[in-house]
Amino acid sequence: MGYVTDCVSQVVLRPVLAADERSFLRLARESRDLHDPWVRLPSTSKSFATYLSRSERGVAACMVVCLKNQGDIVGMVNVNGIVRDPYQRGILGFAVFLPYIGRGYMSAGVSLAIHHAFTNLDLHRLEADIQPQNAASLRLVRRLGFRKEGLSPGFIKIAGCWRDHERWAITKDMELPAVPQG
Ligand SMILES: CC(C)(COP(=O)(O)OP(=O)(O)OC[C@H]1O[C@@H](n2cnc3c(N)ncnc32)[C@H](O)[C@@H]1OP(=O)(O)O)[C@@H](O)C(=O)NCCC(=O)NCCS
């Protein structure tokens, strides 16, 4: 996991803001071919507002991964479907924006999100549901130390089809990806 720590020093994680709407929607539009059929991101002002409101209701933490120096948004990470006692769990969603693919920024951003979830959000368990053909996402969660717990047939409806998903998870007591302090 050496390079994850390396790239963590280049990115920051912060909540997505109303002021991000224009750049977020542009990046999502430009990355649509990459994201289909794995994830659907907001594509209109209205869906972006709904997306923001999930964080406000406390059922999700919607965040963007940004370059530390330039501030450019390179990707998004969400902790969705937060369930409190007795589960203390959330479901991770993540996507890179096209110009920034394959540089390690997302492994770094997701590792920051894991630490945020287990410290500031006080969660115990994070899940990632990934289609078996989604090789890049499977590599990412393996790299960060998630364990595969099974396969759920027809688990999530994406673009009108119920799709099988591998069930991956990491819990607070497992070995977590290293993040430099400070
Ligand atoms: C999954 C996804 C976020 C991964 O994005 P990514 O940019 O490949 O991820 P990272 O930022 O961690 O980059 C890792 C890759 O960069 C490479 N890399 C190149 N230079 C690097 C550097 N300096 N440091 C680290 N990694 C580097 C790594 O080798 C690795 O390549 P590999 O996956 O072929 O082994 C992206 O494919 C995506 O958005 N997919 C569509 C959305 C999606 O599927 N979301 C998940 C739904 S469950």
Side-chain angles (χ1 to χ4, degrees), residues 11 27 64-67 71-76 95-101 105-106:
V11 299
L27 287 161
V64 281
V65 183
C66 302
L67 293 185
D72 301 11
I73 298 175
V74 300
M76 50 72 62
V96 71
F97 291 122
L98 204 49
Y100 306 100
I101 194 169
Y105 296 150
M106 285 311 295

Side-chain angles (χ1 to χ4, degrees), residues 48-61:
F48 186 78
T50 307
Y51 181 71
L52 278 182
S53 73
R54 283 159 51 199
S55 283
E56 286 154 14
R57 284 182 284 124
V59 292

